[in-house]
């Protein structure tokens, strides 16, 4: 009646998928995690939402749900709109970071840029047609890469600057 429940699971594990063994990559399977929120006043309990969210959205969501104000900027956004309407959209992209790379995921694509000498240093995957990120289509879709690169750069913190 008065408890907010958050179930937040660890991210995925690749067991030989894409020649990877482990959980630390910038592929969809590694970055996706289980995430469930239940509040006493939910309009649609038990419904699945497919919107773009990030782990850093948990804190602002809890602050919002508990009606706790804050006067400092947050990187995440409250998920309350999605809890009220599973079809709501609160952001256009989610970001992930590992070693010398950053990845940006939107509804259709995953764009990854590696700050390294080895090629390819840019990867593009069509999440609708290739949800397992098996085929890097960046070379054949340079216009899509060029359109998405500014969105990826919004998540770049300078962490890989030398």
């Amino acid at each position: 009646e008065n408890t907010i429940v958050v179930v937040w699971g660890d991210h995925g594990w690749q067991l030989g998928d894409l020649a990877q063994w482990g959980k630390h990559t910038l592929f969809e399977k590694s970055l996706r995690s289980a995430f469930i929120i239940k509040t006493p006043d939910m309009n649609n309990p038990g419904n699945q939402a497919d919107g773009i969210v990030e782990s850093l959205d948990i804190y602002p969501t809890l602050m919002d749900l508990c009606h706790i104000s804050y006067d400092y900027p947050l990187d995440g956004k409250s998920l309350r709109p999605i809890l009220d309407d599973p079809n709501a959209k609160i952001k256009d992209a989610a970001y992930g970071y590992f070693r010398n790379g950053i990845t940006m995921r939107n509804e259709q694509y995953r764009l990854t840029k590696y700050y390294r000498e080895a090629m390819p240093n840019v990867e593009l995957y069509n999440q609708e047609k290739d949800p397992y990120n098996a085929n890097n289509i960046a070379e054949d879709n340079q216009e899509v890469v060029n359109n998405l690169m500014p969105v990826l750069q919004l998540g770049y913190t300078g962490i890989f600057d030398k």
Side-chain angles (χ1 to χ4, degrees), residues 40-52:
D41 59 348
M42 283 184 84
N43 295 333
N44 301 295
N47 286 346
Q48 179 176 327
D50 292 322
I52 300 288

Side-chain angles (χ1 to χ4, degrees), residues 89-106:
K89 183 178 171 183
I90 62 162
K91 56 176 57 177
D92 296 321
Y95 300 91
Y97 309 85
F98 180 62
R99 290 205 178 144
N100 54 351
I102 178 175
T103 190
M104 180 279 305
R105 168 77 154 83
N106 67 15

Side-chain angles (χ1 to χ4, degrees), residues 3-130:
T3 303
I4 298 168
V5 177
V6 177
V7 177
W8 175 30
D10 196 7
H11 53 91
W13 189 282
Q14 291 181 234
L15 301 173
D17 310 324
L18 305 171
Q20 302 292 319
W21 190 268
K23 57 188 352 182
H24 301 290
T25 71
L26 293 175
F27 293 116
E28 181 78 6
K29 190 165 190 175
S30 289
L31 293 171
R32 196 174 181 100
S33 63
F35 185 50
I36 301 169
I37 297 179
K38 170 72 170 79
T39 69
D41 59 348
M42 283 184 84
N43 295 333
N44 301 295
N47 286 346
Q48 179 176 327
D50 292 322
I52 300 288
V53 301
E54 299 174 272
S55 297
L56 56 82
D57 297 325
I58 296 171
Y59 179 74
T61 301
L62 291 174
M63 296 290 282
D64 187 6
L65 293 173
C66 293
H67 308 288
I68 300 172
S69 61
Y70 50 89
D71 61 354
Y72 44 87
L74 299 176
D75 290 328
K77 294 184 177 183
S78 173
L79 301 174
R80 183 187 284 271
I82 294 175
L83 297 175
D84 292 338
D85 175 8
N87 296 313
K89 183 178 171 183
I90 62 162
K91 56 176 57 177
D92 296 321
Y95 300 91
Y97 309 85
F98 180 62
R99 290 205 178 144
N100 54 351
I102 178 175
T103 190
M104 180 279 305
R105 168 77 154 83
N106 67 15
E107 289 182 11
Q108 185 173 1
Y109 294 104
R110 173 172 296 286
L111 178 65
T112 303
K113 179 176 170 117
Y114 293 97
Y115 296 82
R116 65 182 186 197
E117 300 284 327
M119 298 302 277
N121 62 5
V122 174
E123 297 174 358
L124 177 68
Y125 301 97
N126 185 324
Q127 292 300 136
E128 294 172 353
K129 296 178 181 176
D130 180 21

